Amino acid sequence: MRKPNKSRGEVACTFNGSDVILCANMQALDQIDAELDLSISEIMAGLQSGKIRVIKSCFEAMTVEGDADAALKKTAGILGFSDLAGKIVEALVPEADEADAAGKGNAAESDH
């Protein structure tokens, strides 16, 4: 599988042994909106609280390379969904991951 294009907001992910690339492009966001009928804050809350319906809808819509359906069919129980939700959040809000890597954002760089 190719490397994700970070400038497009792509994120590599492995779920149930399947490698995929996630991206929060406009088509994916429209699909998620149509399927879930939730605000972005409700979607983020659903991802953070591990709501399977939200995670699956986002995963299917945001997969730009790889086979999300095959990965979901392999699943047994809810193992791995928490990690998958984290990757989805990373694709939805790429700067959040960069802020964590840089020491919790600008607050850590303050002179105060």
Side-chain angles (χ1 to χ4, degrees):
M1 178 158 294
R2 67 176 172 83
K3 288 187 176 187
N5 184 331
K6 298 272 185 186
S7 65
R8 280 189 261 182
E10 293 180 347
V11 174
C13 173
T14 301
F15 182 66
N16 287 331
S18 296
D19 294 326
V20 300
I21 294 178
L22 304 174
C23 185
N25 58 43
M26 291 305 292
Q27 181 180 353
L29 297 174
D30 284 344
Q31 182 178 338
I32 293 165
D33 181 47
E35 287 179 14
L36 298 175
D37 193 30
L38 298 172
S39 70
I40 190 68
S41 61
E42 291 170 319
I43 291 168
M44 296 301 283
L47 290 168
Q48 292 171 344
S49 66
K51 292 194 184 257
I52 301 298
R53 178 175 164 254
V54 173
I55 296 169
K56 286 176 69 175
S57 291
C58 290
F59 181 59
E60 291 169 331
M62 292 172 59
T63 297
V64 294
E65 188 166 317
D67 192 345
D69 291 333
L72 289 169
K73 286 179 183 174
K74 293 180 195 174
T75 192
I78 60 170
L79 296 176
F81 276 97
S82 177
D83 292 338
L84 179 57
K87 290 294 187 177
I88 293 168
V89 169
E90 185 179 331
L92 284 169
V93 190
E95 59 272 359
D97 185 51
E98 292 170 12
D100 284 343
K104 302 295 180 191
N106 294 336
E109 299 169 8
S110 176
D111 292 331
H112 300 288

